[in-house]
Amino acid sequence: MTRDRPGLISPGDLYEDCSFHPVLCTFNDGDRIEGISLIDASMPRACSVGFCGVIKLSIDDVIAARTDWSAYLTRRKAEFERESGSEA
């Protein structure tokens, strides 16, 4: 299970964006956060800290995502649905 690591996300930190991509943070102005995907190097990946489901990640989370992206994505979507109570 992926868990949020509380604290401000700063450039250089790892986070998960609202598309479940592990991202290396390059910019955070307190709401807008941007970075580079550690899955496919897409950039800029931009989210709102206040309105998107951005969470701070550990390196172990990134390794799990890089090892089997499909399985990670499926698991994270299921976890999100359970946490938000949106399971059908």
Side-chain angles (χ1 to χ4, degrees):
M1 176 176 207
T2 302
R3 298 187 193 276
D4 186 9
R5 298 175 60 229
L8 179 66
I9 300 171
S10 301
D13 288 339
L14 306 171
Y15 71 94
E16 183 179 271
D17 70 6
C18 57
S19 296
F20 304 105
H21 273 241
V23 175
L24 174 65
C25 179
T26 59
F27 174 83
N28 184 346
D29 71 1
D31 180 50
R32 183 175 174 88
I33 190 167
E34 295 180 1
I36 302 166
S37 169
L38 298 174
I39 297 300
D40 63 12
S42 56
M43 62 178 273
R45 298 202 58 99
C47 287
S48 165
V49 173
F51 294 102
C52 293
V54 175
I55 64 171
K56 196 170 183 179
L57 294 178
S58 71
I59 191 67
D60 290 335
D61 295 319
V62 175
I63 291 169
R66 291 282 307 163
T67 300
D68 189 344
W69 172 238
S70 180
Y72 179 85
L73 186 58
T74 299
R75 178 177 57 82
R76 287 298 295 132
K77 285 179 178 180
E79 288 172 356
F80 179 79
E81 288 175 3
R82 275 194 305 277
E83 291 168 8
S84 66
S86 63
E87 280 187 296

